[in-house]
Every structure is written in C-alpha cells, then in structure tokens.
C-alpha cells in the first residue's frame, strides 16, 4: 500500500472510531459536536474517506478510479479521463449501456458458466480484451510490464499501443508470449515498414490498425487537469519548443513528430500493409455500417468498433448503439470487437447480446494500474469477469453462445 493511501486509511479509521466513541461529546470542549461535524472538520475532501487501501478491497472498478485520482499526478490522471469537447461522446458510451436492460430467463441449468471465446483458433477464458493505451509508465512505474503480467495471470488477450512507454520485446517477455500490436502507422511509410518488421520479428500475430485519429482531437478535460498540476513537466516532456522524446517503438526509425498524424490514409493502406506482412490485420475505430462493409471487402481479419473511448470525434454516438449496424454489415464474415464505456459485467453481457464476438476495456484497467500497479489491473479484470459470470447465471445464459438479441431490451 502506498504511503498516501495508508495515511488516508489511517485517518478514515480514526474518524470512524471517533464518530462511534462515547467520549466524543467531551472532546475539544465543543457544545455541539456530532459525528458529521467530526468528518466535516477533519476531512475537507469527504471523498477521500471512501478510498480502498488495497486492490483486494475494491468492490467495483470505480473504487479503482477514486484511488487513481488520489495517487496519480493530475495531468496524467487527466490524460486517462479525457474525452473531447464537453465529454458528450464519452458520456453517451456509458448512457448507451444504461438504457439497455437484461431479460433474464428462469429454470435454465446454470450450474456451469462458460465464458470461453475462440478468436482465430485460439481459445480465451474470457471475452474481455485489454485495449491498447499509450504511455502507461505515466500511470505507474511498472507501466506496460505490470499490465502484461496481470493480463497473463488472469488469462486475457492484450493489445500493446504503438505509443507505449516500453518496447514490444520487453512486454512480450513480461507476458511470456507475444501480445497483439496496435499500429499507429504514421504518415511515413519507412517508419511503418520498420515498426511492422520489428513487431513481426517479435512474434506478434496480429496488427490492430487504429484509424480514428487522422488529426488532432479536442481534449479539453486533459487541458483542465494539466492546469492544476504544478509539477515541472518539462523534465519529462521537454516542453518549451523542443521535440518530445521519441517513443520506444519509433526509436531507430526515421520517425519525426510531424509524421504522427495520418490524415492522408485511405483504404488502399490495408493492401499496402498486406504487401509487407503476413500478420492478421484488424481495423480499430470504425463506427458505421458502410465502413464495416468496406473493411471486410478489403480483407481485414476483424472489425473493432470504437470511438477511442470518446477521444476522437465528438460524434455523440455510443459505440453500443453503433454495434448492431456494424454486425449487420459484417454478416458474420469476421469477428466484431467493441469497446467504449464498458464498466460492469452487465455491459459485457449487453455487448455480446448485440452481436459482439469480444469486448475491450481501456480506462478501467488504467485506473487499476494507476492505483495499485499489477495487482490493480488483476483486480479490475477479476471484478469484471466475476460480474459477467454472475450476470450470465442470473440471466439463464450458461455460455456466451446462449446470449442473444432477446437477452436484452431497450428502455427509453
Ligand atoms: C489513456 C488512454 C490512452 C489510449 N491510447 C490508445 C492508443 O495508444 N491506441 C489506441 O488505439 N487506442 C488508445 N486508447 C483507446 C482505447 O484503446 C479504447 O478504445 C478506449 O479506451 C475504450 O474506451 P473506455 O476507456 O471507455 O473503456 C486510449 C485510451 C485511453 C483512455
């Protein structure tokens, strides 16, 4: 447990003891001194009293979010939290799930619950994938290595970001097998070739090409959190006109910061990639039926429905609401993965009911990482998996294949 959390927990325990003590009225000579007053006087931020002191104590993933907010540097926490504009799209990703309800069936044999899913011939114990997220050493010193160990320990598929703070070889080493690799191709073909060759050499079987950030996105929440961070950021970020440090996966290539955006990328790019690698290619960041159909026509191996967790365009549309038209467009020809706003096992269930083959999570495991490192990520995965199993049992759906369109309904 970190010193900060220990302090918070000790203070919380003291306040609880004080509030329950018969001596309370006599302490400090106050005429009127209720338990509520004690908390109000001693704890300017009431929310801190709710902090869990260890990963094991977390009851849901939002317990992790609170600790992450408390222990992480504000600018780095803001980088996790941010969506775009006024957060409408990120909000709707959640609201989309909340509008759906589960339609449980009774008197079904649910003595065994089976959450296994097969993707490209490989069986996974859970349909929950660890989504790619950059710069994880900004959240915890062990960064991507902690995530890799946690995902492996709990048996989850993991995708490594192009802008990771640790190179793919070390991450594969920590995991004990190659991860899937998310590709920000950049606008420089030489860089793309070099990165793909390196990742292929490292044994990664699958490239996840992210296509939803051709240019900048309007991340206001991140800017607001930066403003309350009084640390010297320049020592890490080399601010003041100097180029930021080159991320490990672009080191040794001809990468320049101006290459990062891919405004000129079109569907031909899939063919170009096919020309340099035999790895599977998945396209991440699609949200319309038209693009789902085009992706399959261009021979991709899977479609990943995503709006980058509400961090790309401020479309205002929930990915869970885009999912049905994507599934229709794909027509079962390739797997469909979805992410955005999955925070409960019931959300996983609802996504499967709308036709997803598997789902992915971003912020929940990053909160776990920021809060407690590897243990935090493991606990987040455990919580979501347990919640999914509970939901499946109570809904009368013993296996993922039993979850269908009639397993859920839509409220207003
Ligand atoms: C801090 C952070 C960093 C991210 N970095 C990447 C990235 O490098 N590449 C990528 O394809 N997606 C990235 N994403 C998007 C995630 O892969 C995923 O699509 C999204 O987080 C899912 O939504 P959720 O956070 O609501 O679960 C990032 C998301 C967050 C929150």
């Amino acid at each position: 447990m970190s010193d900060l959390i220990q302090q918070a927990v000790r203070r919380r325990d003291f306040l609880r003891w004080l509030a329950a003590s018969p001596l309370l009225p006599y302490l400090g000579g106050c005429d009127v001194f209720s338990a509520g007053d004690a908390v109000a006087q001693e704890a300017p931020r009431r929310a801190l009293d709710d902090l869990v002191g260890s990963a094991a104590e977390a009851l849901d993933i939002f317990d992790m979010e609170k600790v992450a907010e408390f222990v992480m540097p504000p600018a780095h926490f803001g980088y996790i939290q941010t969506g775009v504009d006024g957060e409408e799209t990120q909000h709707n990703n959640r609201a989309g799930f909340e509008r759906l309800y589960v339609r449980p069936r009774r008197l079904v044999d649910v003595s065994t619950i089976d959450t296994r899913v097969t993707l490209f011939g490989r069986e996974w114990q859970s349909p929950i994938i660890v989504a790619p997220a950059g710069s994880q050493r900004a959240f915890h010193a062990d960064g991507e290595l902690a995530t890799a160990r946690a995902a492996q320990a709990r048996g989850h598929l993991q995708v490594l970001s192009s802008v990771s703070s640790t190179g793919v070889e070390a991450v594969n080493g920590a995991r004990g097998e190659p991860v899937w690799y998310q590709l920000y191709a950049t606008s420089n073909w030489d860089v793309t070739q070099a990165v793909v060759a390196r990742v292929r050499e490292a044994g990664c079987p699958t490239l996840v090409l992210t296509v939803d950030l051709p240019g900048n996105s309007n991340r206001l929440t991140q800017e607001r959190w930066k403003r309350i961070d009084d640390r010297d950021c320049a020592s890490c970020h080399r601010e003041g006109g100097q180029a930021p440090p080159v991320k490990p996966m672009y080191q040794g290539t001809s990468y320049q910061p101006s290459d990062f955006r891919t405004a000129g990328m079109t569907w031909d790019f899939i063919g170009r990639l096919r020309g340099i690698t035999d790895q599977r290619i998945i396209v991440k960041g699609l949200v319309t039926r038209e693009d789902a159909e085009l992706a399959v026509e261009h021979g991709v191996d899977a479609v990943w429905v995503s709006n980058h967790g509400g961090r790309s365009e401020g479309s205002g549309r929930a990915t869970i609401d885009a999912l049905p038209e994507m599934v229709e467009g794909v027509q079962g020809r390739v797997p469909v993965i979805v992410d955005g706003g999955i925070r409960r096992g019931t959300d996983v269930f609802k996504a499967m009911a709308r036709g997803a083959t598997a789902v992915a999570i971003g912020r929940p495991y990053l909160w776990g990482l920021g809060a407690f490192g590897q243990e935090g990520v493991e606990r987040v995965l455990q919580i979501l998996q347990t919640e999914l199993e509970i939901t499946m049992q109570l809904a009368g759906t013993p296996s993922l294949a039993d979850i269908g369109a009639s397993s859920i309904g839509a409220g207003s």
Side-chain angles (χ1 to χ4, degrees), residues 59-399:
L59 294 176
D60 66 13
I61 57 124
F62 296 107
D63 283 337
M64 294 295 182
E65 181 182 20
K66 286 182 206 153
V67 177
E69 175 175 357
F70 184 54
V71 300
M72 282 178 60
H76 294 182
F77 183 70
Y79 171 59
I80 293 181
Q81 297 304 87
T82 198
V84 294
D85 301 342
E87 302 297 352
E88 294 82 2
T89 309
Q90 186 178 179
H91 170 82
N92 287 347
N93 276 348
R94 281 281 327 118
F97 282 109
E98 284 162 5
R99 270 195 302 274
L100 301 176
Y101 57 82
V102 175
R103 296 183 67 248
R105 299 298 305 277
R106 310 298 188 205
L107 297 172
V108 177
D109 180 355
V110 284
S111 35
T112 310
I113 297 299
D114 180 0
T115 66
R116 283 175 301 171
V117 64
T118 301
L119 283 170
F120 310 117
R122 163 100 187 247
E123 189 178 273
W124 299 91
Q125 291 304 313
S126 168
I128 303 170
I129 299 173
V130 173
S135 307
Q136 293 185 18
R137 293 194 63 206
F139 313 144
H140 187 275
D142 297 338
E144 289 85 1
L145 299 180
T147 301
R149 291 187 190 112
Q152 176 70 348
R154 307 252 8 130
H156 291 258
L157 170 58
Q158 171 195 4
V159 186
L160 181 69
S161 164
S162 267
V163 287
S164 58
S165 37
T166 309
V168 67
E169 300 81 3
V171 175
N172 287 349
R175 188 177 166 102
E177 66 171 338
V179 292
W180 286 14
Y181 185 80
Q182 177 264 327
L183 184 68
Y184 281 135
T186 81
S187 55
N188 181 336
W189 181 245
D190 290 341
V191 173
T192 306
Q193 281 188 298
V195 171
V196 170
R198 176 172 167 187
V199 169
R200 190 169 171 274
E201 177 69 24
C204 300
T206 305
L207 293 177
V208 177
L209 177 69
T210 297
V211 297
D212 55 14
L213 280 181
N216 288 330
S217 61
N218 197 28
R219 299 187 179 178
L220 304 184
T221 298
Q222 182 175 337
E223 292 308 311
R224 293 186 205 287
W225 278 91
K226 261 192 206 167
R227 287 182 185 174
I228 60 163
D229 198 327
D230 54 8
R231 296 165 315 135
D232 172 22
C233 300
S235 52
C236 295
H237 293 275
R238 288 195 233 146
E239 285 175 344
Q242 291 189 58
V246 175
K247 293 283 185 182
M249 290 308 295
Y250 298 127
Q251 279 167 16
T253 73
S254 57
Y255 176 85
Q256 296 295 319
S258 57
D259 295 335
F260 189 66
R261 296 302 172 199
T262 50
M265 188 193 283
T266 63
W267 284 105
D268 301 342
F269 193 81
I270 307 291
R272 287 186 87 185
L273 264 188
R274 281 263 179 251
I276 59 166
T277 184
D278 52 5
Q279 290 156 292
R280 281 186 291 270
I281 300 173
I282 293 177
V283 180
K284 174 174 184 279
L286 304 181
V287 284
T288 59
R289 178 186 179 130
E290 298 89 309
D291 281 346
E293 287 172 354
L294 277 169
V296 177
E297 279 165 30
H298 282 85
V300 305
D301 293 286
V303 164
W304 189 317
V305 183
S306 176
N307 55 25
H308 220 105
R311 295 159 83 86
S312 52
E313 73 284 335
S315 70
R317 189 176 191 210
T319 46
I320 187 66
D321 291 333
L323 181 60
E325 72 176 58
M326 307 296 286
V327 170
E328 259 178 54
V330 165
Q331 298 268 335
R333 289 172 287 178
V334 296
V336 177
I337 298 165
V338 66
D339 72 25
I342 291 169
R343 303 289 180 266
R344 304 263 181 206
T346 47
D347 301 334
V348 181
F349 182 93
K350 290 167 185 176
M352 306 305 287
R354 285 207 155 168
T357 316
V359 303
I361 54 163
R363 292 179 186 86
Y365 85 86
L366 299 177
W367 294 328
L369 178 65
F372 299 107
Q374 177 183 342
E375 277 181 41
V377 180
E378 282 194 43
R379 180 72 184 134
V380 163
L381 293 170
Q382 184 186 35
I383 287 171
L384 291 174
Q385 177 66 18
T386 305
E387 288 177 351
L388 172 62
E389 290 170 14
I390 290 172
T391 307
M392 288 173 66
Q393 189 168 51
L394 293 176
T397 51
S399 77

